[in-house]
Amino acid sequence: MRALLAKEWLELVRSRRLLVLCVVLLFFGILSPLTARYMGDIFAMMSESMQGIVIQLPEPSIHEAIVQYLANFSENYPLAIILVAMACIVAERERGTLAMVLARPVIRWQIVLSKYLALLGMLLIALALGGLGALYYSIILFGGPAFVDFLLLNLAGALYLSVILALTVLASTLARSTVAAGALSLGFWLTLSLVGSLPGLRGWLPPALVTQAAELGLGSRPDVWQAALVALTFIGVALAGACLALQRQEL
Amino acid sequence: MSASAISCQELTRRFDHHLALDSLCLEVPEHSVFGFLGPNGAGKTTTIKILAGLIRPTAGKAYVAGQRVSPDDIAARRAVGYLPEEPAFYGWMTGREYLIYAGRLLGLGAGAHGRADELLQLVDLAEAGARRVGGYSRGMRQRLGIASALVGRPPVLLLDEPTSALDPLGRRDVLALIERLSGDTTVFLSTHILADVDRICDRVAVISRGRLLAEADQETLRARFAAPAFEIELAPAPGPAADLLKTLAAQPWAASVEPVDNTLRVMATDTDSARRALPVLLAPLGEQLLRYEQVRPTLEDIFARLVEQSEEETL
């Protein structure tokens, strides 16, 4: 298992996927407080040049910065995760490298778990960088949020993204091509978002973690445990499904 | 016969409606270089994949080094080194890194580094070991594949068409490498290149349409299955060769007559009749006849005869 994990990590570094994800998340992390602070000024300048049009935006505040930052967790970040993780298993099966590994004394669930853990490590590092960028500019521009609140916000958001990652690994195991894995991952994500917005399910499915993360960032302490437990169950079921699917596959 | 390194018992594999393996029974003696011969689609790769634990048989059992083979059980995979027809590597790794990785998967720990260097020497990749595999030629990849199959010092090596994609030099190198391994390891080699089998294999099995047609050492196979062959070389001129071909093909003892350049290769069903009749038939040729001899039947003759017989029976 250690050998598999070390290989996965080295591949993420050498293929520059770690670097790309860090740059993307840092960019969006920094952009969020900047957008919240200067969007009003940009629109004001635009309204001056377009006579008769008046654009009214709320007064820039830390609330706006957090809303902007959290929008990434439900829009840009899942997409970035799907793009970097969708090939993780299917591409190895297509190229034939998986058969070379599985002809050795390796248990198939170890493949799934090592890929998920390495990708999760990459996600957490990129998220930490993006979060630090967002926190730094939020403090400079708005004087907040409190570090603990921001940390809790990111932990809740990271748990939601971990679900997306697990579903992407499952899609990569089930699909017969990388493109199909990407499409299936998008399908999982969109379905989860859609079902998570249904009345009655809204409070406890994984997408609720993003809403609850906003409250955590603003100093409230909502009850996140229900959604967190469901998210962990989703991760467990998705990974177990991936292990089972790989176990049944012939190479 | 010594103990079996590989044992297949009624091994059957069906892909939807296609029967890829049909109750294959096979015993491969320890420390032999075993040639597994068959035309394309005969079931060679399916057999090797079952032995490597990558696919399941529909019925029957397979054992490698005494361990039952199954994708769910890793014990047998410790005893096996596997080289697919086109070995796939991580292009971003160096050859040395790949061998170290393979060693770690086998639990070699720190010893994986030394083993990697040792194997790079063995397969003549010591200098290329520090280069990324993405830049390797086919022959180099094949040799790296053999090295990676040998990392855990497996008692059994499964090689699926190891030379079919190589140029003559690459083929020569890989065959020389396999020859060097014989004695220490049981090599199970699938191929349709008969010259390779002729050169390095102690024992041979011929398979067609998933069924075992014959299995023995090469000499026994020749004695048991090969029809006697005669070669007649003529001076280059179109007339006599064409006439002689017709005459020979009409003989009751002639199984087949094949022209190759200026030589006719005659397979006989009855050696004595052929020996008696041929000098009489060839005498009128006079100076046109350059050479006439009874030749040792080749593996190709045996292979062709077995496969043709099998196909006739199927029809």
Side-chain angles (χ1 to χ4, degrees):
Chain A
M1 183 73 183
R2 275 175 62 191
L4 288 169
L5 251 177
K7 174 257 160 187
E8 292 303 328
W9 187 251
L10 193 63
E11 186 167 16
L12 292 176
V13 173
R14 294 242 179 114
S15 65
R16 298 200 168 85
R17 274 186 281 170
L18 174 64
L19 180 69
V20 168
L21 195 69
C22 285
V23 169
V24 169
L25 267 61
L26 186 61
F27 171 77
F28 283 115
I30 291 172
L31 194 66
S32 304
L34 290 176
T35 308
R37 173 64 185 82
Y38 295 111
M39 191 54 83
D41 296 345
I42 294 166
F43 278 125
M45 283 164 64
M46 284 169 67
S47 351
E48 278 171 22
S49 61
M50 292 185 286
Q51 287 182 345
I53 297 174
V54 179
I55 301 169
Q56 280 194 320
L57 288 171
E59 199 62 29
S61 67
I62 184 62
H63 181 267
E64 290 308 312
I66 284 177
V67 168
Q68 286 283 349
Y69 179 63
L70 274 168
N72 293 319
F73 282 80
S74 49
E75 293 163 12
N76 303 320
Y77 290 179
L79 207 57
I81 288 166
I82 288 171
L83 285 173
V84 296
M86 65 187 190
C88 66
I89 289 178
V90 68
E92 286 225 29
R93 199 171 54 227
E94 282 181 312
R95 285 196 300 257
T97 46
L98 193 57
M100 296 280 282
V101 173
L102 287 177
R104 301 180 192 288
V106 171
I107 306 169
R108 296 191 181 202
W109 64 257
Q110 292 177 330
I111 302 270
V112 174
L113 205 60
S114 64
K115 293 213 177 263
Y116 181 73
L117 290 177
L119 287 163
L120 185 64
M122 174 179 72
L123 171 65
L124 293 178
I125 288 174
L127 210 53
L129 269 175
L132 285 173
L135 183 65
Y136 177 72
Y137 278 93
S138 297
I139 289 172
I140 288 177
L141 299 172
F142 302 106
F147 179 77
V148 175
D149 295 344
F150 195 71
L151 181 67
L152 291 173
L153 172 158
N154 276 286
L155 286 176
L159 187 54
Y160 171 64
L161 295 178
S162 307
V163 174
I164 304 295
L165 181 62
L167 291 172
T168 307
V169 171
L170 172 63
S172 190
T173 314
L174 295 174
R176 293 193 171 190
S177 70
T178 304
V179 175
L184 193 57
S185 306
L186 282 173
F188 282 152
W189 170 40
L190 294 175
T191 307
L192 185 64
S193 304
L194 201 68
V195 175
S197 65
L198 292 174
L201 297 173
R202 197 176 291 159
W204 54 275
L205 282 183
L209 286 166
V210 180
T211 321
Q212 290 161 352
E215 294 176 45
L216 288 167
L218 293 168
S220 307
R221 292 293 177 263
D223 183 10
V224 296
W225 295 112
Q226 203 173 24
L229 279 174
V230 173
L232 289 172
T233 309
F234 261 76
I235 294 170
V237 169
L239 294 181
C243 292
L244 200 65
L246 191 61
Q247 191 66 37
R248 295 167 69 95
Q249 283 167 10
E250 298 195 315
L251 301 161
Chain B
M1 191 184 286
S2 55
S4 291
I6 296 173
S7 172
C8 299
Q9 299 172 5
E10 300 285 328
L11 210 56
T12 303
R13 174 65 208 217
R14 188 178 282 282
F15 293 102
D16 297 325
H17 299 296
H18 171 62
L19 189 61
L21 275 185
D22 187 1
S23 304
L24 178 75
C25 294
L26 199 63
E27 299 293 329
V28 177
E30 279 182 340
H31 308 300
S32 61
V33 179
F34 194 95
F36 195 45
L37 272 174
N40 289 332
K44 305 187 295 292
T45 297
T46 302
T47 307
I48 286 197
K49 282 189 170 183
I50 289 174
L51 294 173
L54 294 174
I55 62 175
R56 293 177 177 81
T58 309
K61 295 173 191 167
Y63 295 86
V64 172
Q67 301 277 353
R68 173 93 183 260
V69 179
S70 155
D72 307 319
D73 189 353
I74 59 169
R77 275 179 272 160
R78 289 192 186 281
V80 165
Y82 166 63
L83 177 76
E85 187 175 353
E86 287 185 32
F89 304 99
Y90 304 105
W92 51 269
M93 274 187 185
T94 67
R96 186 170 185 271
E97 281 172 344
Y98 186 81
L99 294 180
I100 292 170
Y101 171 56
R104 285 186 173 154
L105 288 179
L106 287 156
L108 293 190
H113 291 258
R115 182 67 178 146
D117 292 333
E118 194 181 309
L119 286 167
L120 286 170
Q121 289 282 352
L122 179 75
V123 299
D124 295 328
L125 287 175
E127 282 181 28
R131 282 178 14 216
R132 291 198 174 183
V133 182
Y136 280 19
S137 69
R138 262 188 152 164
M140 290 164 82
R141 291 165 79 90
Q142 211 73 3
R143 280 182 282 146
L144 181 66
I146 293 177
S148 78
L150 288 169
V151 168
R153 295 186 174 85
V156 176
L157 204 56
L158 305 173
L159 308 177
D160 191 4
E161 308 265 6
T163 58
S164 60
L166 300 180
D167 61 24
L169 287 179
R171 201 174 132 225
R172 184 198 63 189
D173 292 347
V174 167
L175 289 178
L177 181 58
I178 296 169
E179 273 183 317
R180 267 183 275 165
L181 298 173
S182 60
D184 300 331
T185 308
T186 305
V187 181
F188 186 78
L189 169 100
S190 91
T191 185
H192 59 262
I193 302 174
L194 301 163
D196 292 356
V197 176
D198 221 357
R199 179 173 155 187
I200 61 169
C201 294
D202 316 322
R203 291 185 73 83
V204 178
V206 182
I207 180 177
S208 178
R209 295 172 189 264
R211 284 188 301 134
L212 184 70
L213 304 181
E215 190 268 308
D217 61 73
Q218 288 206 40
E219 285 311 313
T220 310
L221 265 189
R222 282 194 172 90
R224 199 189 304 165
F225 294 103
F230 296 87
E231 280 186 1
I232 302 156
E233 191 179 351
L234 302 173
D243 295 343
L244 184 62
L245 195 148
K246 277 185 200 164
T247 310
L248 291 174
Q251 300 302 313
W253 46 262
S256 67
V257 185
E258 284 177 39
V260 182
D261 298 328
N262 297 318
T263 304
L264 297 176
R265 188 174 175 83
V266 184
M267 304 297 293
T269 50
D270 178 351
T271 319
D272 292 339
S273 301
R275 273 192 194 143
R276 276 196 302 272
L278 274 169
V280 179
L281 293 168
L282 300 177
L285 292 170
E287 289 180 354
Q288 289 285 332
L289 180 67
L290 298 181
R291 179 172 62 91
Y292 154 62
E293 65 177 329
Q294 183 173 354
V295 293
R296 188 170 175 255
T298 64
L299 203 54
E300 195 170 339
D301 296 329
I302 302 167
F303 179 74
R305 186 177 164 193
L306 283 169
V307 172
E308 279 165 14
Q309 264 181 8
S310 153
E311 284 175 359
E312 280 165 16
E313 282 167 20
T314 309
L315 290 171

